[in-house]
Amino acid sequence: MSPTPRPRRIRIAAAQYPLSELATLGDYRDKLADWVGRAATDGADMIVFPEYGAMEYAAAAGAAPDLAASLEAVSAALPEMDATHADLARRLGVHILAASGPCRRPDGRYVNRARLFTPEGLVGIQDKMIMTPFEVTWGIAPGETLRVFVTRLGRIGIAICYDSEFPLLVRAQAEAAADLILIPSCTEFVSGYHRVRTAALARALENGCITVQSPTVGEARWSPAVDVNTGAAGIFGPSEKGLSDTGVIAQGQLNAVAFVTATVDLGGLAEVRARGEMRNSLDWARQPGAQPLAGLVEVVDLR
């Protein structure tokens, strides 16, 4: 693999995304085109959608009242949904993290799958690694491979919601040179939202990276899977002079329907890691007994 180009300043748009009771797949395409189009017009290079946002397609398939039917309908529709994302990424010249959703594996079990689309027509896949109690009840299986994606924006990792609360998962991605960690989330309660937000702040501090939280928001009472959604988007970094005194680069209003946007200098993170006020990432690796984790990560070239 050729060396990764030095990351540049990139503009990120993180969605606070409401789930709609859609009538048709055409309605889904129109809604997605509107959201992606608005972010692209605002200059976004990277557009991030939330965990389980794909579940809104269950309404269009007439499967929303039943959980098992919803999982199957969304999984079956993923190829069509992905084609729409790929077309928008290509035409508008943006990277898109599609809202995650259930994907049936050959063994018949579902995983919670996020897909990263590039303007070059390439797609990266990250399955959620650690299941929440409600996902265990649904029968969702854990993913098997942790990845980092090499893109023309820089190296990107994805930690789906609960995964972000486990430091060694994100640490492994950071040791595989990820500068940007995308955290799509779906939480019912304010407490759940804050758990993920706290994790996003902590992972940014520990690893000298940028983390991006994108949640589902609002009520979707037609769905047994995602009926109540609470959250706010945020873009976070290490608390360092010249980057962010608080670690919060941009923060949305709770449960508002909106994009939260910021321009970040991924290249400047190397300076923070090497010569910042505190050097958490370097000092972590120097601790007695610290084990290298990058070997646990599959690096995928999406350039």
Side-chain angles (χ1 to χ4, degrees), residues 161-286:
C161 201
Y162 195 39
D163 285 354
S164 70
E165 299 179 33
F166 293 84
L168 294 183
L169 289 179
V170 177
R171 180 64 190 174
Q173 292 172 318
E175 288 189 9
D179 286 311
L180 183 65
I181 304 294
L182 308 181
I183 305 176
S185 67
C186 177
T187 52
E188 182 177 2
F189 303 117
V190 172
S191 54
Y193 154 63
H194 277 285
R195 281 196 300 273
V196 180
R197 181 182 185 273
T198 299
L201 279 161
R203 302 298 83 82
L205 175 65
E206 293 160 356
N207 298 299
C209 64
I210 300 297
T211 59
V212 182
Q213 182 180 5
S214 167
T216 50
V217 298
E219 294 189 350
R221 295 292 183 180
W222 45 268
S223 170
V226 286
D227 54 341
V228 179
N229 304 272
T230 302
I235 301 171
F236 309 109
S239 301
E240 289 277 347
K241 183 179 179 181
L243 182 66
S244 172
D245 289 341
T246 63
V248 179
I249 297 170
Q251 176 68 62
Q253 179 182 348
L254 191 69
N255 290 340
V257 175
F259 273 116
V260 172
T261 60
T263 299
V264 298
D265 181 8
L266 296 185
L269 288 174
E271 183 69 19
V272 167
R273 285 193 290 265
R275 286 174 284 278
E277 299 165 55
M278 295 294 124
R279 292 139 200 198
N280 302 67
S281 183
L282 287 175
D283 288 335
W284 182 328
R286 292 169 178 157

Side-chain angles (χ1 to χ4, degrees), residues 7-273:
R8 59 186 180 86
R9 291 174 61 86
I10 66 170
R11 187 159 179 80
I12 300 168
Q16 299 188 174
Y17 189 76
L19 299 169
S20 303
E21 190 172 6
L22 304 170
T24 67
L25 180 59
D27 291 341
Y28 172 83
R29 292 191 184 106
D30 290 344
K31 180 181 178 181
L32 184 64
D34 175 65
W35 275 76
V36 173
R38 284 189 284 118
T41 298
D42 188 48
D45 302 294
M46 178 79 250
I47 305 171
V48 184
F49 288 101
E51 180 187 35
Y52 283 122
M55 293 303 293
E56 68 181 347
Y57 179 78
D66 181 84
L67 176 58
S70 294
L71 297 176
E72 176 56 33
V74 174
S75 178
L78 281 182
E80 293 180 82
M81 299 163 76
D82 286 354
T84 300
H85 286 88
D87 177 65
L88 290 168
R90 177 186 56 80
R91 288 194 294 107
L92 299 178
V94 294
H95 290 69
I96 305 172
L97 181 69
S100 80
C103 180
R104 185 189 287 273
R105 299 189 308 199
D107 65 4
R109 300 191 70 186
Y110 294 100
V111 291
N112 179 3
R113 177 161 292 178
R115 294 94 59 219
L116 176 63
F117 296 85
T118 76
E120 295 79 19
L122 301 175
V123 184
I125 291 171
Q126 179 63 65
D127 296 335
K128 190 173 183 178
M129 303 295 288
I130 301 178
M131 300 297 96
T132 61
F134 81 82
E135 286 173 307
V136 172
T137 300
W138 289 9
I140 306 295
E144 298 176 347
T145 304
L146 189 63
R147 297 184 173 96
V148 162
F149 304 101
V150 184
T151 76
R152 63 177 173 82
L153 300 180
R155 290 198 175 204
I156 298 173
I158 301 166
I160 302 175
C161 201
Y162 195 39
D163 285 354
S164 70
E165 299 179 33
F166 293 84
L168 294 183
L169 289 179
V170 177
R171 180 64 190 174
Q173 292 172 318
E175 288 189 9
D179 286 311
L180 183 65
I181 304 294
L182 308 181
I183 305 176
S185 67
C186 177
T187 52
E188 182 177 2
F189 303 117
V190 172
S191 54
Y193 154 63
H194 277 285
R195 281 196 300 273
V196 180
R197 181 182 185 273
T198 299
L201 279 161
R203 302 298 83 82
L205 175 65
E206 293 160 356
N207 298 299
C209 64
I210 300 297
T211 59
V212 182
Q213 182 180 5
S214 167
T216 50
V217 298
E219 294 189 350
R221 295 292 183 180
W222 45 268
S223 170
V226 286
D227 54 341
V228 179
N229 304 272
T230 302
I235 301 171
F236 309 109
S239 301
E240 289 277 347
K241 183 179 179 181
L243 182 66
S244 172
D245 289 341
T246 63
V248 179
I249 297 170
Q251 176 68 62
Q253 179 182 348
L254 191 69
N255 290 340
V257 175
F259 273 116
V260 172
T261 60
T263 299
V264 298
D265 181 8
L266 296 185
L269 288 174
E271 183 69 19
V272 167
R273 285 193 290 265

